Amino acid sequence: MKNRRSFLQQLRTLSLGITPLSFFQSLQGKDLLQAINDKQFLSAERLATDEDFWQLIKQAYTVSPTLLNLNNGGVSPQPKVVQDAVERYNQLCNEAPSFHMWQTLDQGREPLRAKLATLAGCSPEELAINRNTSEALETVIFGLRLKEGDEVVLSKQDYPNMRHAWIQRASRDGIVLKWLSINYPSEDKNDLIDQYVSSFTENTKVVHLTHILNWNGQILPVAEIALEAQKRGIEVIVDAAHTFAHLVYTIPSLNCDYWGTSLHKWLGAPFGTGLLYVKKEKIKNLYPLFAAPNPEEDNIRKFEHLGTRSFAIEQAIGHAIDFHWMIGSERKFKRLHYLKNYWAEQIQDIPNVQLLTSLHPDFGGAIALIAIDGQRPEKTAQLLHKKYKIHTTSSKTDNIYGVRITPNVYTSLRDLDRLVVAIQEIANDVK
Ligand SMILES: Cc1ncc(COP(=O)(O)O)c(C=O)c1O
Protein backbone atom coordinates (compact mmCIF):
# COMPACT_ATOMS: atom_id res chain seq x y z
CA MET A 1 0.00 0.00 0.00
CA LYS A 2 2.82 2.39 0.97
CA ASN A 3 4.68 1.58 -2.24
CA ARG A 4 1.59 2.18 -4.37
CA ARG A 5 1.07 5.54 -2.65
CA SER A 6 4.67 6.61 -3.26
CA PHE A 7 4.31 5.50 -6.87
CA LEU A 8 1.32 7.83 -7.28
CA GLN A 9 3.24 10.65 -5.59
CA GLN A 10 6.15 10.07 -7.91
CA LEU A 11 3.90 10.19 -10.96
CA ARG A 12 2.48 13.48 -9.75
CA THR A 13 6.02 14.90 -9.60
CA LEU A 14 6.82 13.51 -13.01
CA SER A 15 3.68 14.97 -14.54
CA LEU A 16 5.01 18.43 -13.65
CA GLY A 17 6.92 17.98 -16.85
CA ILE A 18 10.33 17.03 -15.47
CA THR A 19 10.28 13.64 -17.18
CA PRO A 20 7.19 12.90 -19.26
CA LEU A 21 5.87 9.37 -18.87
CA SER A 22 3.58 9.30 -21.87
CA PHE A 23 1.53 6.21 -20.97
CA PHE A 24 0.30 7.66 -17.69
CA GLN A 25 -0.66 10.89 -19.43
CA SER A 26 -2.82 8.99 -21.91
CA LEU A 27 -6.50 8.30 -21.26
CA GLN A 28 -5.78 4.62 -20.65
CA GLY A 29 -3.00 5.51 -18.23
CA LYS A 30 -5.20 7.92 -16.33
CA ASP A 31 -7.94 5.29 -16.10
CA LEU A 32 -5.45 2.84 -14.68
CA LEU A 33 -4.25 5.33 -12.06
CA GLN A 34 -7.85 6.07 -11.12
CA ALA A 35 -8.56 2.35 -10.74
CA ILE A 36 -5.43 1.86 -8.60
CA ASN A 37 -6.68 4.65 -6.39
CA ASP A 38 -10.28 3.38 -6.26
CA LYS A 39 -9.27 -0.20 -5.45
CA GLN A 40 -6.50 0.45 -2.98
CA PHE A 41 -8.50 -1.03 -0.08
CA LEU A 42 -9.58 -4.17 -1.98
CA SER A 43 -7.91 -7.37 -0.76
CA ALA A 44 -5.45 -9.16 -3.04
CA GLU A 45 -7.93 -12.09 -3.32
CA ARG A 46 -10.77 -9.84 -4.43
CA LEU A 47 -8.63 -7.90 -6.88
CA ALA A 48 -7.32 -11.14 -8.41
CA THR A 49 -10.78 -11.80 -9.87
CA ASP A 50 -11.55 -8.21 -10.96
CA GLU A 51 -11.38 -8.48 -14.76
CA ASP A 52 -12.03 -4.76 -15.30
CA PHE A 53 -8.94 -3.89 -13.32
CA TRP A 54 -6.69 -6.38 -15.10
CA GLN A 55 -8.02 -5.22 -18.45
CA LEU A 56 -6.63 -1.77 -17.56
CA ILE A 57 -3.29 -3.38 -16.70
CA LYS A 58 -3.32 -5.03 -20.13
CA GLN A 59 -3.61 -1.58 -21.73
CA ALA A 60 -0.25 -0.72 -20.17
CA TYR A 61 1.42 -3.32 -22.42
CA THR A 62 1.87 -3.45 -26.18
CA VAL A 63 1.29 -7.18 -26.57
CA SER A 64 0.00 -8.72 -29.78
CA PRO A 65 -3.81 -8.79 -30.05
CA THR A 66 -3.64 -11.89 -32.26
CA LEU A 67 -0.76 -14.08 -31.13
CA LEU A 68 -1.59 -15.20 -27.59
CA ASN A 69 1.71 -15.27 -25.72
CA LEU A 70 1.62 -17.95 -23.04
CA ASN A 71 5.36 -18.34 -22.78
CA ASN A 72 5.98 -15.61 -20.24
CA GLY A 73 8.23 -18.07 -18.41
CA GLY A 74 10.86 -17.51 -21.09
CA VAL A 75 10.99 -13.75 -20.92
CA SER A 76 8.31 -11.16 -20.17
CA PRO A 77 7.27 -8.21 -22.30
CA GLN A 78 7.95 -4.82 -20.75
CA PRO A 79 5.12 -2.43 -19.84
CA LYS A 80 5.02 0.57 -22.16
CA VAL A 81 6.54 2.89 -19.52
CA VAL A 82 9.63 0.67 -19.44
CA GLN A 83 9.93 0.54 -23.24
CA ASP A 84 9.58 4.33 -23.38
CA ALA A 85 12.23 4.81 -20.71
CA VAL A 86 14.70 2.63 -22.62
CA GLU A 87 14.10 4.66 -25.75
CA ARG A 88 14.39 7.98 -23.93
CA TYR A 89 17.62 7.05 -22.14
CA ASN A 90 19.03 5.60 -25.32
CA GLN A 91 18.32 8.80 -27.22
CA LEU A 92 20.00 10.76 -24.46
CA CYS A 93 23.07 8.50 -24.62
CA ASN A 94 23.28 8.99 -28.35
CA GLU A 95 23.64 12.75 -27.90
CA ALA A 96 27.06 12.21 -26.32
CA PRO A 97 27.55 8.55 -25.32
CA SER A 98 30.56 8.69 -23.06
CA PHE A 99 29.23 11.77 -21.26
CA HIS A 100 25.64 10.62 -20.74
CA MET A 101 26.48 6.97 -20.06
CA TRP A 102 29.37 7.53 -17.68
CA GLN A 103 28.46 10.86 -16.16
CA THR A 104 24.68 11.20 -16.36
CA LEU A 105 23.03 7.77 -16.27
CA ASP A 106 25.84 6.34 -14.17
CA GLN A 107 24.62 8.62 -11.37
CA GLY A 108 21.45 6.57 -11.25
CA ARG A 109 23.14 3.27 -10.36
CA GLU A 110 23.31 3.75 -6.58
CA PRO A 111 19.68 4.95 -6.28
CA LEU A 112 18.69 1.98 -8.44
CA ARG A 113 20.64 -0.40 -6.21
CA ALA A 114 18.80 1.05 -3.20
CA LYS A 115 15.45 0.62 -4.91
CA LEU A 116 16.21 -3.00 -5.84
CA ALA A 117 17.30 -3.60 -2.25
CA THR A 118 13.96 -2.31 -0.97
CA LEU A 119 12.16 -4.74 -3.26
CA ALA A 120 14.49 -7.62 -2.34
CA GLY A 121 14.41 -6.86 1.41
CA CYS A 122 18.20 -6.82 1.78
CA SER A 123 21.01 -4.27 2.03
CA PRO A 124 22.03 -2.44 -1.17
CA GLU A 125 25.57 -3.45 -0.23
CA GLU A 126 24.61 -7.05 -1.05
CA LEU A 127 23.31 -6.49 -4.60
CA ALA A 128 25.25 -6.31 -7.86
CA ILE A 129 23.40 -5.25 -11.00
CA ASN A 130 24.26 -7.33 -14.05
CA ARG A 131 22.69 -8.87 -17.17
CA ASN A 132 20.95 -12.10 -16.19
CA THR A 133 20.74 -15.13 -13.89
CA SER A 134 23.38 -17.02 -15.84
CA GLU A 135 25.91 -14.25 -15.23
CA ALA A 136 24.90 -13.93 -11.58
CA LEU A 137 25.14 -17.63 -10.77
CA GLU A 138 28.20 -18.39 -12.90
CA THR A 139 29.96 -15.66 -10.93
CA VAL A 140 29.24 -17.74 -7.84
CA ILE A 141 29.89 -21.16 -9.37
CA PHE A 142 33.30 -20.11 -10.72
CA GLY A 143 34.12 -17.72 -7.90
CA LEU A 144 33.76 -20.00 -4.86
CA ARG A 145 36.94 -21.28 -3.24
CA LEU A 146 36.45 -25.02 -3.65
CA LYS A 147 39.13 -27.70 -3.77
CA GLU A 148 39.43 -31.22 -5.13
CA GLY A 149 37.09 -33.62 -3.35
CA ASP A 150 34.68 -30.92 -2.14
CA GLU A 151 31.09 -31.95 -2.83
CA VAL A 152 28.24 -29.96 -4.35
CA VAL A 153 24.63 -31.16 -4.14
CA LEU A 154 22.46 -30.19 -7.10
CA SER A 155 19.70 -31.69 -9.23
CA LYS A 156 19.17 -32.93 -12.75
CA GLN A 157 16.23 -30.51 -12.90
CA ASP A 158 18.40 -27.42 -12.32
CA TYR A 159 18.71 -25.04 -15.28
CA PRO A 160 21.11 -26.25 -18.03
CA ASN A 161 23.45 -23.20 -17.92
CA MET A 162 23.98 -23.81 -14.24
CA ARG A 163 24.47 -27.56 -14.61
CA HIS A 164 26.99 -26.94 -17.39
CA ALA A 165 28.86 -24.42 -15.26
CA TRP A 166 29.15 -26.94 -12.42
CA ILE A 167 30.28 -29.70 -14.81
CA GLN A 168 32.96 -27.39 -16.21
CA ARG A 169 34.08 -26.46 -12.69
CA ALA A 170 34.19 -30.14 -11.72
CA SER A 171 36.30 -31.08 -14.72
CA ARG A 172 38.76 -28.24 -14.00
CA ASP A 173 39.07 -28.54 -10.25
CA GLY A 174 38.09 -32.08 -9.34
CA ILE A 175 35.13 -31.13 -7.18
CA VAL A 176 32.46 -33.83 -6.84
CA LEU A 177 28.89 -33.31 -8.07
CA LYS A 178 26.11 -35.19 -6.24
CA TRP A 179 23.10 -35.21 -8.56
CA LEU A 180 19.55 -35.61 -7.25
CA SER A 181 16.62 -36.49 -9.45
CA ILE A 182 13.33 -35.64 -7.82
CA ASN A 183 9.88 -36.77 -8.84
CA TYR A 184 7.89 -33.66 -9.68
CA PRO A 185 5.25 -32.36 -9.18
CA SER A 186 5.39 -32.77 -5.44
CA GLU A 187 3.39 -31.34 -2.55
CA ASP A 188 5.38 -33.23 0.04
CA LYS A 189 7.55 -30.58 1.66
CA ASN A 190 9.24 -32.95 4.10
CA ASP A 191 10.14 -35.38 1.35
CA LEU A 192 11.66 -32.60 -0.75
CA ILE A 193 13.67 -31.37 2.23
CA ASP A 194 14.76 -34.93 3.10
CA GLN A 195 15.95 -35.68 -0.41
CA TYR A 196 18.39 -32.80 -0.23
CA VAL A 197 19.38 -33.21 3.39
CA SER A 198 20.02 -36.96 3.07
CA SER A 199 22.54 -36.21 0.28
CA PHE A 200 24.67 -34.01 2.50
CA THR A 201 27.92 -35.57 3.73
CA GLU A 202 30.82 -34.20 5.72
CA ASN A 203 32.43 -33.23 2.39
CA THR A 204 29.44 -31.22 1.14
CA LYS A 205 30.40 -27.58 0.78
CA VAL A 206 27.61 -26.21 -1.42
CA VAL A 207 23.97 -26.93 -2.26
CA HIS A 208 22.50 -25.45 -5.45
CA LEU A 209 18.73 -24.93 -5.32
CA THR A 210 16.31 -23.82 -8.03
CA HIS A 211 13.55 -21.86 -6.31
CA ILE A 212 11.01 -22.42 -9.11
CA LEU A 213 11.80 -25.08 -11.69
CA ASN A 214 11.54 -23.60 -15.15
CA TRP A 215 10.36 -26.97 -16.52
CA ASN A 216 7.04 -27.25 -14.72
CA GLY A 217 6.80 -24.36 -12.25
CA GLN A 218 7.43 -26.47 -9.14
CA ILE A 219 8.30 -24.36 -6.07
CA LEU A 220 11.01 -25.85 -3.84
CA PRO A 221 11.02 -25.31 -0.04
CA VAL A 222 14.29 -23.42 -0.35
CA ALA A 223 14.26 -21.70 3.05
CA GLU A 224 13.85 -25.00 4.91
CA ILE A 225 16.53 -26.85 2.92
CA ALA A 226 18.86 -23.86 3.31
CA LEU A 227 18.34 -23.86 7.09
CA GLU A 228 19.44 -27.50 7.26
CA ALA A 229 22.44 -26.68 5.06
CA GLN A 230 23.35 -23.73 7.25
CA LYS A 231 23.36 -25.97 10.37
CA ARG A 232 25.97 -28.14 8.62
CA GLY A 233 28.16 -25.25 7.40
CA ILE A 234 27.09 -25.82 3.77
CA GLU A 235 26.82 -22.75 1.55
CA VAL A 236 23.55 -22.20 -0.30
CA ILE A 237 23.09 -20.90 -3.84
CA VAL A 238 19.57 -20.06 -5.02
CA ASP A 239 18.57 -19.84 -8.67
CA ALA A 240 15.71 -17.34 -8.42
CA ALA A 241 15.31 -16.69 -12.15
CA HIS A 242 11.58 -17.35 -11.83
CA THR A 243 10.76 -16.09 -8.37
CA PHE A 244 11.81 -12.46 -8.06
CA ALA A 245 8.72 -10.22 -8.51
CA HIS A 246 6.61 -13.40 -8.87
CA LEU A 247 6.52 -14.98 -5.40
CA VAL A 248 6.24 -12.77 -2.33
CA TYR A 249 9.44 -13.05 -0.24
CA THR A 250 12.63 -11.29 0.76
CA ILE A 251 16.05 -12.72 -0.07
CA PRO A 252 17.18 -13.00 3.59
CA SER A 253 14.05 -15.06 4.36
CA LEU A 254 15.50 -17.82 2.13
CA ASN A 255 18.53 -18.32 4.45
CA CYS A 256 20.82 -18.38 1.42
CA ASP A 257 24.33 -17.07 0.83
CA TYR A 258 24.13 -16.42 -2.90
CA TRP A 259 21.13 -15.72 -5.13
CA GLY A 260 20.66 -14.69 -8.75
CA THR A 261 17.77 -13.58 -10.93
CA SER A 262 16.86 -12.18 -14.33
CA LEU A 263 14.93 -8.93 -14.14
CA HIS A 264 13.62 -9.44 -17.71
CA LYS A 265 11.43 -12.27 -16.43
CA TRP A 266 8.84 -11.47 -13.77
CA LEU A 267 9.82 -7.88 -13.05
CA GLY A 268 9.24 -6.93 -16.70
CA ALA A 269 12.52 -4.98 -16.86
CA PRO A 270 14.41 -4.58 -20.15
CA PHE A 271 15.85 -7.67 -21.84
CA GLY A 272 19.34 -8.36 -20.54
CA THR A 273 19.01 -7.12 -16.95
CA GLY A 274 19.81 -9.21 -13.89
CA LEU A 275 20.79 -9.19 -10.25
CA LEU A 276 23.28 -11.00 -8.00
CA TYR A 277 22.92 -11.16 -4.22
CA VAL A 278 25.88 -12.07 -2.07
CA LYS A 279 25.44 -12.09 1.70
CA LYS A 280 27.61 -9.34 3.15
CA GLU A 281 30.10 -11.57 4.96
CA LYS A 282 30.57 -13.78 1.85
CA ILE A 283 31.58 -10.98 -0.56
CA LYS A 284 35.25 -10.89 0.37
CA ASN A 285 35.93 -14.56 -0.39
CA LEU A 286 34.00 -14.79 -3.65
CA TYR A 287 36.12 -14.07 -6.72
CA PRO A 288 34.43 -11.93 -9.39
CA LEU A 289 33.97 -13.53 -12.83
CA PHE A 290 35.20 -10.36 -14.55
CA ALA A 291 38.42 -9.29 -12.87
CA ALA A 292 38.31 -6.37 -10.44
CA PRO A 293 41.18 -4.14 -9.24
CA ASN A 294 40.99 -5.87 -5.87
CA PRO A 295 39.21 -9.23 -6.22
CA GLU A 296 39.29 -9.78 -2.47
CA GLU A 297 37.68 -6.52 -1.46
CA ASP A 298 34.55 -6.55 0.60
CA ASN A 299 32.55 -4.45 -1.87
CA ILE A 300 29.62 -5.77 -3.93
CA ARG A 301 30.60 -3.43 -6.79
CA LYS A 302 33.60 -5.64 -7.56
CA PHE A 303 31.12 -7.89 -9.42
CA GLU A 304 30.13 -5.07 -11.80
CA HIS A 305 33.31 -4.77 -13.91
CA LEU A 306 31.42 -6.00 -16.96
CA GLY A 307 32.83 -3.61 -19.55
CA THR A 308 30.66 -1.38 -21.73
CA ARG A 309 26.99 -2.22 -21.63
CA SER A 310 23.65 -0.47 -22.07
CA PHE A 311 23.07 2.06 -19.31
CA ALA A 312 19.73 2.85 -20.92
CA ILE A 313 18.35 -0.58 -20.11
CA GLU A 314 19.92 -0.54 -16.67
CA GLN A 315 18.24 2.74 -15.73
CA ALA A 316 14.90 1.60 -17.10
CA ILE A 317 14.87 -1.15 -14.42
CA GLY A 318 13.68 1.56 -12.01
CA HIS A 319 10.53 2.08 -14.08
CA ALA A 320 9.82 -1.66 -14.02
CA ILE A 321 10.05 -1.59 -10.22
CA ASP A 322 7.62 1.36 -10.08
CA PHE A 323 5.19 -0.54 -12.29
CA HIS A 324 5.52 -3.65 -10.10
CA TRP A 325 4.90 -1.58 -6.95
CA MET A 326 1.93 0.07 -8.57
CA ILE A 327 0.27 -3.37 -8.76
CA GLY A 328 1.79 -4.65 -5.49
CA SER A 329 3.69 -7.93 -4.95
CA GLU A 330 0.88 -9.72 -3.11
CA ARG A 331 -1.76 -8.68 -5.64
CA LYS A 332 0.44 -9.74 -8.53
CA PHE A 333 1.13 -13.20 -7.08
CA LYS A 334 -2.55 -13.77 -6.26
CA ARG A 335 -3.57 -12.81 -9.81
CA LEU A 336 -0.90 -15.01 -11.40
CA HIS A 337 -1.87 -17.98 -9.26
CA TYR A 338 -5.56 -17.35 -9.95
CA LEU A 339 -4.91 -17.30 -13.71
CA LYS A 340 -2.90 -20.53 -13.61
CA ASN A 341 -5.54 -22.35 -11.59
CA TYR A 342 -8.35 -20.94 -13.76
CA TRP A 343 -7.22 -22.80 -16.87
CA ALA A 344 -5.47 -25.71 -15.15
CA GLU A 345 -8.55 -26.72 -13.11
CA GLN A 346 -10.60 -26.89 -16.31
CA ILE A 347 -8.19 -29.04 -18.29
CA GLN A 348 -7.41 -31.47 -15.47
CA ASP A 349 -10.78 -33.14 -15.97
CA ILE A 350 -10.05 -33.99 -19.61
CA PRO A 351 -9.39 -37.76 -19.47
CA ASN A 352 -6.28 -37.86 -21.67
CA VAL A 353 -4.66 -34.68 -20.36
CA GLN A 354 -2.19 -34.75 -17.48
CA LEU A 355 -1.50 -31.72 -15.34
CA LEU A 356 2.12 -31.88 -14.18
CA THR A 357 2.16 -28.90 -11.78
CA SER A 358 0.67 -28.40 -8.33
CA LEU A 359 -2.36 -26.12 -7.92
CA HIS A 360 -1.32 -25.30 -4.35
CA PRO A 361 0.22 -21.81 -3.94
CA ASP A 362 3.09 -23.22 -1.83
CA PHE A 363 4.16 -25.45 -4.70
CA GLY A 364 3.27 -23.56 -7.89
CA GLY A 365 2.69 -20.00 -9.10
CA ALA A 366 1.99 -18.86 -12.65
CA ILE A 367 3.79 -21.62 -14.57
CA ALA A 368 2.22 -25.00 -15.35
CA LEU A 369 3.00 -28.04 -17.47
CA ILE A 370 0.61 -30.38 -19.25
CA ALA A 371 0.95 -33.47 -21.40
CA ILE A 372 -1.59 -35.12 -23.69
CA ASP A 373 -1.44 -38.93 -23.65
CA GLY A 374 -0.28 -40.28 -26.99
CA GLN A 375 1.08 -36.97 -28.31
CA ARG A 376 4.62 -35.61 -28.11
CA PRO A 377 4.61 -32.22 -26.31
CA GLU A 378 6.47 -30.63 -29.26
CA LYS A 379 3.51 -31.63 -31.45
CA THR A 380 1.00 -30.17 -28.98
CA ALA A 381 2.92 -26.88 -28.83
CA GLN A 382 3.11 -26.81 -32.61
CA LEU A 383 -0.65 -27.35 -32.95
CA LEU A 384 -1.38 -24.67 -30.36
CA HIS A 385 0.62 -22.27 -32.44
CA LYS A 386 -0.34 -23.30 -35.97
CA LYS A 387 -4.04 -23.84 -35.44
CA TYR A 388 -4.87 -21.53 -32.53
CA LYS A 389 -2.09 -18.87 -32.62
CA ILE A 390 -1.18 -19.62 -29.03
CA HIS A 391 2.52 -19.43 -28.24
CA THR A 392 3.78 -21.91 -25.62
CA THR A 393 6.90 -24.05 -25.36
CA SER A 394 7.65 -27.73 -24.92
CA SER A 395 9.70 -28.46 -21.84
CA LYS A 396 11.92 -31.51 -21.40
CA THR A 397 14.54 -32.59 -18.90
CA ASP A 398 15.35 -35.87 -17.17
CA ASN A 399 11.90 -37.01 -15.88
CA ILE A 400 9.85 -33.94 -16.88
CA TYR A 401 8.28 -33.66 -20.32
CA GLY A 402 5.30 -31.55 -21.40
CA VAL A 403 3.99 -28.26 -22.77
CA ARG A 404 4.73 -25.30 -20.51
CA ILE A 405 2.03 -22.64 -20.27
CA THR A 406 2.69 -19.33 -18.54
CA PRO A 407 0.29 -16.37 -18.41
CA ASN A 408 1.24 -12.95 -17.10
CA VAL A 409 -0.56 -10.00 -15.51
CA TYR A 410 -1.81 -8.83 -18.90
CA THR A 411 -3.44 -12.21 -19.67
CA SER A 412 -7.24 -12.17 -19.48
CA LEU A 413 -9.74 -14.94 -18.66
CA ARG A 414 -10.96 -14.63 -22.24
CA ASP A 415 -7.41 -15.50 -23.41
CA LEU A 416 -7.39 -18.53 -21.13
CA ASP A 417 -10.82 -19.66 -22.35
CA ARG A 418 -9.26 -19.74 -25.81
CA LEU A 419 -6.47 -21.92 -24.44
CA VAL A 420 -8.85 -24.32 -22.71
CA VAL A 421 -10.91 -24.81 -25.90
CA ALA A 422 -7.73 -25.41 -27.90
CA ILE A 423 -6.45 -28.04 -25.46
CA GLN A 424 -9.87 -29.73 -25.37
CA GLU A 425 -9.98 -29.95 -29.17
CA ILE A 426 -6.38 -31.14 -29.56
CA ALA A 427 -6.87 -33.77 -26.83
CA ASN A 428 -10.12 -34.90 -28.42
CA ASP A 429 -8.45 -35.38 -31.81
CA VAL A 430 -5.81 -37.64 -30.22
CA LYS A 431 -8.35 -40.04 -28.68
C1 LIG B 1 15.60 -21.61 -13.56
C2 LIG B 1 16.37 -20.77 -14.52
N1 LIG B 1 17.63 -20.43 -14.22
C3 LIG B 1 18.37 -19.66 -15.02
C4 LIG B 1 17.88 -19.19 -16.21
C5 LIG B 1 18.75 -18.37 -17.09
O1 LIG B 1 18.24 -17.09 -17.28
P1 LIG B 1 18.99 -16.08 -18.24
O2 LIG B 1 18.94 -16.67 -19.61
O3 LIG B 1 18.23 -14.83 -18.13
O4 LIG B 1 20.39 -15.99 -17.75
C6 LIG B 1 16.58 -19.52 -16.59
C7 LIG B 1 16.02 -19.05 -17.86
O5 LIG B 1 14.93 -19.38 -18.27
C8 LIG B 1 15.81 -20.32 -15.72
O6 LIG B 1 14.56 -20.68 -16.02
Short mmCIF file of all heavy atoms in Angstrom, two decimals, residues 24 26 44 122 124 195 241 312 400-401 418:
data_model
loop_
_atom_site.label_atom_id
_atom_site.label_comp_id
_atom_site.label_asym_id
_atom_site.label_seq_id
_atom_site.Cartn_x
_atom_site.Cartn_y
_atom_site.Cartn_z
N PHE A 24 1.16 7.22 -18.78
CA PHE A 24 0.30 7.66 -17.69
C PHE A 24 -0.34 9.03 -17.96
O PHE A 24 -1.18 9.48 -17.19
CB PHE A 24 1.08 7.66 -16.36
CG PHE A 24 1.28 6.25 -15.85
CD1 PHE A 24 2.53 5.65 -15.88
CD2 PHE A 24 0.20 5.51 -15.39
CE1 PHE A 24 2.70 4.34 -15.43
CE2 PHE A 24 0.36 4.21 -14.94
CZ PHE A 24 1.61 3.61 -14.97
N SER A 26 -1.78 9.36 -20.95
CA SER A 26 -2.82 8.99 -21.91
C SER A 26 -4.11 8.69 -21.15
O SER A 26 -4.10 8.50 -19.93
CB SER A 26 -2.39 7.75 -22.69
OG SER A 26 -2.41 6.63 -21.83
N ALA A 44 -6.14 -8.55 -1.88
CA ALA A 44 -5.45 -9.16 -3.04
C ALA A 44 -6.33 -10.25 -3.67
O ALA A 44 -6.38 -10.39 -4.89
CB ALA A 44 -4.12 -9.73 -2.60
N CYS A 122 16.83 -6.62 1.27
CA CYS A 122 18.20 -6.82 1.78
C CYS A 122 18.94 -5.49 1.74
O CYS A 122 18.35 -4.46 1.39
CB CYS A 122 18.93 -7.87 0.96
SG CYS A 122 19.17 -7.37 -0.76
N PRO A 124 21.50 -2.73 0.16
CA PRO A 124 22.03 -2.44 -1.17
C PRO A 124 23.47 -2.91 -1.31
O PRO A 124 23.93 -3.19 -2.42
CB PRO A 124 21.95 -0.91 -1.28
CG PRO A 124 21.25 -0.42 -0.09
CD PRO A 124 21.06 -1.53 0.88
N GLN A 195 15.15 -35.24 0.73
CA GLN A 195 15.95 -35.68 -0.41
C GLN A 195 17.25 -34.89 -0.51
O GLN A 195 18.30 -35.45 -0.82
CB GLN A 195 15.16 -35.56 -1.71
CG GLN A 195 13.96 -36.49 -1.72
CD GLN A 195 13.53 -36.84 -3.12
OE1 GLN A 195 14.35 -37.16 -3.97
NE2 GLN A 195 12.24 -36.79 -3.39
N ALA A 241 15.67 -17.27 -10.85
CA ALA A 241 15.31 -16.69 -12.15
C ALA A 241 13.80 -16.47 -12.24
O ALA A 241 13.35 -15.48 -12.81
CB ALA A 241 15.76 -17.61 -13.28
N ALA A 312 21.14 2.52 -20.70
CA ALA A 312 19.73 2.85 -20.92
C ALA A 312 18.85 1.74 -20.35
O ALA A 312 17.88 2.02 -19.63
CB ALA A 312 19.47 3.04 -22.41
N ILE A 400 10.95 -34.89 -16.66
CA ILE A 400 9.85 -33.94 -16.88
C ILE A 400 9.71 -33.70 -18.38
O ILE A 400 10.69 -33.41 -19.06
CB ILE A 400 10.12 -32.59 -16.17
CG1 ILE A 400 10.39 -32.80 -14.68
CG2 ILE A 400 8.97 -31.62 -16.37
CD1 ILE A 400 10.73 -31.52 -13.91
N TYR A 401 8.49 -33.81 -18.88
CA TYR A 401 8.28 -33.66 -20.32
C TYR A 401 6.83 -33.19 -20.55
O TYR A 401 5.89 -33.87 -20.16
CB TYR A 401 8.49 -35.02 -20.99
CG TYR A 401 8.62 -35.01 -22.50
CD1 TYR A 401 9.00 -33.87 -23.20
CD2 TYR A 401 8.39 -36.19 -23.23
CE1 TYR A 401 9.14 -33.89 -24.58
CE2 TYR A 401 8.52 -36.21 -24.62
CZ TYR A 401 8.90 -35.07 -25.28
OH TYR A 401 9.03 -35.08 -26.65
N ARG A 418 -9.73 -19.33 -24.48
CA ARG A 418 -9.26 -19.74 -25.81
C ARG A 418 -8.26 -20.91 -25.69
O ARG A 418 -8.30 -21.85 -26.47
CB ARG A 418 -8.59 -18.50 -26.44
CG ARG A 418 -8.11 -18.65 -27.85
CD ARG A 418 -7.73 -17.25 -28.36
NE ARG A 418 -6.60 -17.28 -29.25
CZ ARG A 418 -5.86 -16.22 -29.56
NH1 ARG A 418 -6.12 -15.04 -29.07
NH2 ARG A 418 -4.85 -16.34 -30.41
#
